Structure formats: C-alpha cells, structure tokens
Amino acid sequence: MDRSIAGIILAGGQSRRMGGGDKPLLSLGEGRLIDHVAARLKPQVGTLALNANGDPARFTSLDIPVISDTVPGYAGPLAGILTGLEWAATNPACRSLVSAAGDTPFFPGDLVERLIAAAKERPGAIAVASSGGRWHPTFALWPLGLSDALHHFLVDEDNRRVSAFMERHSFVQVEFPMIEAEGRRIDPFFNINTPDDLAQAERLLQSLRP
C-alpha cells in the first residue's frame, strides 16, 4: 500500500449492455461484483472511493465514500476520473490517483505497485495497464496535476474518449500477464458487460478458488 495514492472505482455508467440497472450490484460468487473490485483495490491504495451516480445508500456496505460525477450528463469514465482527481486533491497526502473499472473483478493484485514503478521512470506521465497487446485506459495512474486539462478536454471540447486524452499527454504502458485458468489464458482485465460475461466470470471465480 502507498498512502500517497488514492483509488477511484468507476461505476457511474448506465449498464446498457446488461439491460440497465445497477451492474455493480449483480451477484458474483458469495458477494456482488462491486465487492470483488473493492476488495482487490482497497489493499493497494491509501484511500479509496467509488464513483457512482444515483442514491449512494445502495453502496453503504462498502464503507467507502461514494461520489457522483461532478459534470452532468453521464459523460462516461472520464467524468469519473475527473471526479476522482478533484476528490483526491482535497487530501493533502495524495499525489496521484489510480482508476479501476467497476466491472472488472480479476485485475492484478500488484496493479498499483507496477503502475507506480513505471511512473517513476517517466515523471509526470500517465501509467496505463495493458495485456495481450491491448491497453486498458480505465486502469491507470493519474497525476493530480492533470485535473484542469481533463476538465477542459471533457467539458469545453466535449471529448469523452479516455485514450484520446492520454494520447494528448505523456503516457507509458505497463504490460500485465494473462491469467492461466480453465485450461486457457484469460485477460486479467476481462470486464463484465453482458449476462454471458457474468456467467463466464462466475466459472472463472470458481476455478481460481484455492
């Protein structure tokens, strides 16, 4: 754990491909999808919050702050990242923010450690996770100083693409290995978008249990 790193779980979307509703509250194993994500990220950061819109009371059991988008209109993951940067900046001990998608329950337990190491080699750069030749822009370490630039990009330019913002700034990719399970290689950043994805995650969860 690095106490100077804040974490934000991005769960502010509308879950259209899942048929709407609260995707983070879907059952997975003995808990909910959001429980698995929070359990993975919480030990890796000094402080953690959840970005979600609507009634925050539905996440009370997580025992972490729930913060809604600071810009209107369900502007996607970048709105959650901006919200996280603004929240982290209120804590004098924080110097960076790690973002993680709220529908990705198997991301690496050394995510933050390795992103920090890469960022130290490129001061001021965004460190972003990749696997299997693909990068995952919602899993990244963000310098708090990017808040104003991100606000301009999202609000004034009305651009919601996370990768496009990264490409405008200095960034470094950090490659993570695949998970070996069920006799095949599975992306640790596999995310749940559909009922079939949820069923696959349930099978994977069972196969990974000791």
Side-chain angles (χ1 to χ4, degrees):
M1 177 193 295
D2 187 328
R3 297 193 179 279
S4 69
I5 307 297
I8 188 77
I9 299 172
L10 305 174
Q14 296 176 292
S15 306
R16 290 190 179 94
R17 281 182 285 179
M18 190 62 80
D22 260 326
K23 181 166 59 171
L25 300 182
L26 292 172
S27 295
L28 179 61
E30 297 176 356
R32 304 165 302 177
L33 176 53
I34 194 64
D35 296 322
H36 293 272
V37 176
R40 281 190 174 263
L41 189 56
K42 196 169 187 178
Q44 301 188 50
V45 296
T47 184
L48 179 64
L50 173 69
N51 165 238
N53 297 300
D55 184 1
R58 65 199 196 277
F59 299 109
T60 299
S61 63
L62 287 176
D63 196 29
I64 60 174
V66 180
I67 49 179
S68 59
D69 291 346
T70 56
V71 297
Y74 290 95
L78 268 184
I81 293 164
L82 175 62
T83 298
L85 288 170
E86 293 171 346
W87 163 75
T90 65
N91 184 341
C94 291
R95 56 182 174 81
S96 299
L97 175 80
V98 167
S99 59
D103 59 1
T104 307
F106 305 110
F107 65 87
D110 62 351
L111 172 74
V112 176
E113 178 184 359
R114 294 194 55 203
L115 293 179
I116 291 172
K120 286 180 179 177
E121 298 295 321
R122 292 271 298 275
I126 303 165
V128 55
S130 65
S131 60
R134 296 176 55 245
W135 64 331
H136 308 284
T138 54
F139 284 86
L141 179 71
W142 305 82
L144 297 191
L146 289 175
S147 181
D148 288 345
L150 179 51
H151 187 277
H152 175 79
F153 183 83
L154 180 62
V155 176
D156 299 327
E157 297 186 29
D158 194 25
N159 194 327
R160 300 183 177 187
R161 292 183 59 233
V162 185
S163 58
F165 180 78
M166 288 182 171
E167 287 166 351
R168 187 175 293 189
H169 297 271
S170 176
F171 72 93
V172 57
Q173 293 190 46
V174 183
E175 183 73 15
F176 288 85
M178 295 292 196
I179 299 171
E180 300 291 338
E182 300 182 314
R184 58 196 180 100
R185 299 170 75 242
I186 298 172
D187 194 325
F189 298 98
F190 157 65
N191 64 312
I192 297 171
N193 284 317
T194 67
D196 285 345
D197 292 339
L198 184 62
Q200 181 181 346
E202 190 69 51
R203 293 192 300 270
L204 180 56
L205 183 66
Q206 297 301 321
S207 71
L208 292 174
R209 282 182 172 173

